[in-house]
Amino acid sequence: MSGNTETFNFQAEISQLMSLIVNAVYQNKEIFLRELISNASDALDKIRYQSLTDPSVLDSGKDLKITIVPDVANKVLIIRDTGIGMTKADLINNLGTIAKSGTKAFMEMVQETKDASMIGQFGVGFYSAYLVADEVEVISKHNDDEQYIWRSSAGQNFTVTRDTVNEPLGRGSEIRLHLKDDLLEFLEERRIKDIVKKHSEFISYPIHLVYQKEVEKEVPVEETEEAVDEEKDENKAKIEEVDDEGEDKEDKPKTKKVKENETVDEELNQTKPIWTRNPDSIQKDEYNAFYKSLTNDWEDPLAVKHFSVEGQLEFRSILFTPH
């Protein structure tokens, strides 16, 4: 580790929270991705709001999006955003030394219900990463600071290091989850797509999945390979040298089929935002799913009102009444 690494102790409640998450058995571990995507969306909201009064904040990157990259070889799942990013002080305070007001309430709720799925409602969704990861790294770049790496294996402490080894992010954060050996399913393309569709379809920023796909391609045979093939052919029975007289012979380039890994960049949430659609075309289940993704509530709303306003100011809106 570099000499500019500093070690900090977690605030006591956060340390207890992570111990609870790491050691308890929860069936619904997939919620970690929902929480990290939600946090990324919040970071994108913050930089977008800043840009309304100061457009220059987007000079470090105008493309507002979330990218998920499964690194199968290294057993690492990467979630990257081009949001506001975090300064060194933000990393220290927000991810370790200052407990959110909901930390204690969440721990009490989990101990009673054994259900961690509502973690986002208590403002501690980041720590759901430890449901699936042994170690978590957060690489972050804020416009007002250098790029830093936050790292912890959920013990009593974490480290913060000025980043001199990774590619510059420009702006935003990259979370690297070093997955537990029995949870490598979360590197699978289909599994990630299913979770995003289930929990994050209505996020208002593009969510991209960048993954490796094996494809079969025809490629020209190299001259050296062709020469070897010809030498083998000469050793075969001479009857193969006789061609049908009536057959036209074409000098086609020789090819062979090979399997290659191709990088695919796929946008996962291309569904038209529900509030922009015609209310007559929307089912009740769609409103309920959108409400739950928006609020992290586990109950359906009591009532829904979908309307539009036209005049000097035009907008469409959906109002929900919670239970």
Side-chain angles (χ1 to χ4, degrees):
M1 190 71 70
S2 168
N4 59 14
T5 296
E6 296 177 70
T7 301
F8 301 88
N9 289 326
F10 281 113
Q11 198 267 0
E13 281 187 356
I14 294 176
S15 190
Q16 292 167 17
L17 169 67
M18 288 197 297
S19 177
L20 188 67
I21 290 172
V22 169
N23 297 317
V25 178
Y26 301 117
Q27 299 301 318
N28 195 20
K29 293 180 185 294
E30 68 181 35
I31 59 134
F32 83 92
L33 190 55
R34 177 194 71 191
E35 295 304 323
L36 297 181
I37 288 174
S38 177
N39 288 353
S41 178
D42 290 345
L44 290 162
D45 280 340
K46 288 176 182 176
I47 197 67
R48 185 168 63 85
Y49 294 151
Q50 274 195 8
S51 72
L52 297 177
T53 53
D54 182 9
S56 69
V57 298
L58 294 180
D59 289 348
S60 49
K62 295 190 178 348
D63 198 8
L64 301 182
K65 66 178 182 178
I66 299 164
T67 305
I68 303 170
V69 184
D71 180 352
V72 177
N74 294 307
K75 303 178 184 177
V76 174
L77 183 64
I78 299 167
I79 299 101
R80 184 184 304 142
D81 68 69
T82 56
I84 196 166
M86 285 181 277
T87 63
K88 178 184 176 182
D90 290 336
L91 288 169
I92 295 167
N93 294 331
N94 296 347
L95 302 185
T97 59
I98 298 179
K100 296 284 191 288
S101 57
T103 306
K104 188 175 181 181
F106 172 71
M107 287 193 290
E108 291 172 352
M109 189 272 289
V110 167
Q111 286 167 339
E112 284 180 20
T113 65
K114 308 299 181 188
D115 180 13
S117 62
M118 292 299 109
I119 190 169
Q121 287 190 340
F122 296 87
V124 288
F126 167 76
Y127 301 104
S128 66
Y130 289 99
L131 287 171
V132 297
D134 287 321
E135 182 184 41
V136 176
E137 292 176 271
V138 181
I139 302 159
S140 199
K141 173 70 176 73
H142 189 283
N143 282 337
D144 297 338
D145 208 344
E146 302 291 329
Q147 185 164 306
Y148 283 89
I149 307 169
W150 180 100
R151 182 183 286 108
S152 178
S153 299
Q156 298 297 315
N157 53 49
F158 61 93
T159 61
V160 176
T161 311
R162 191 165 64 82
D163 190 359
T164 58
V165 294
N166 295 296
E167 289 290 321
L169 295 178
R171 186 196 63 247
S173 297
E174 177 174 304
I175 299 177
R176 296 179 180 176
L177 307 179
H178 297 261
L179 296 181
K180 299 174 183 178
D181 287 338
D182 60 337
L183 293 171
L184 300 182
E185 66 186 85
F186 294 112
L187 294 172
E188 297 170 8
E189 167 209 344
R190 175 48 52 195
R191 188 79 168 96
I192 295 168
K193 287 179 177 178
D194 288 346
I195 296 171
V196 171
K197 181 172 178 57
K198 180 179 178 181
H199 294 294
S200 307
E201 189 176 17
F202 299 111
I203 293 291
S204 55
Y205 299 98
I207 301 173
H208 288 257
L209 176 61
V210 178
Y211 59 96
Q212 297 293 312
K213 185 177 183 180
E214 191 175 70
V215 293
E216 196 174 71
K217 290 184 177 181
E218 280 202 3
V219 298
V221 175
E222 298 289 338
E223 287 184 14
T224 52
E225 292 181 72
E226 202 169 326
V228 170
D229 290 340
E230 286 175 4
E231 193 176 319
K232 286 179 182 176
D233 291 342
E234 285 173 8
N235 295 329
K236 289 183 180 177
K238 294 299 179 184
I239 56 171
E240 293 182 10
E241 294 178 4
V242 180
D243 289 326
D244 293 337
E245 289 181 5
E247 196 174 304
D248 290 333
K249 215 174 175 187
E250 294 181 10
D251 288 335
K252 289 184 179 178
K254 289 190 176 181
T255 62
K256 63 176 181 179
K257 288 185 177 179
V258 296
K259 288 185 177 180
E260 292 183 355
N261 278 335
E262 184 177 82
T263 300
V264 180
D265 186 340
E266 185 177 346
E267 188 174 336
L268 301 183
N269 57 334
Q270 293 181 314
T271 306
K272 189 177 179 184
I274 191 170
W275 58 90
T276 66
R277 291 163 54 192
N278 185 332
D280 294 336
S281 70
I282 303 173
Q283 302 295 319
K284 184 179 179 181
D285 287 348
E286 292 181 87
Y287 283 121
N288 292 344
F290 176 60
Y291 170 77
K292 289 176 180 177
S293 73
L294 193 67
T295 63
N296 287 331
D297 197 348
W298 58 89
E299 289 190 273
D300 292 337
L302 188 64
V304 180
K305 181 66 176 175
H306 189 173
F307 62 94
S308 61
V309 172
E310 297 179 2
Q312 282 187 321
L313 187 66
E314 294 186 8
F315 64 90
R316 293 170 179 262
S317 184
I318 303 176
L319 295 179
F320 294 100
T321 304
H323 268 283

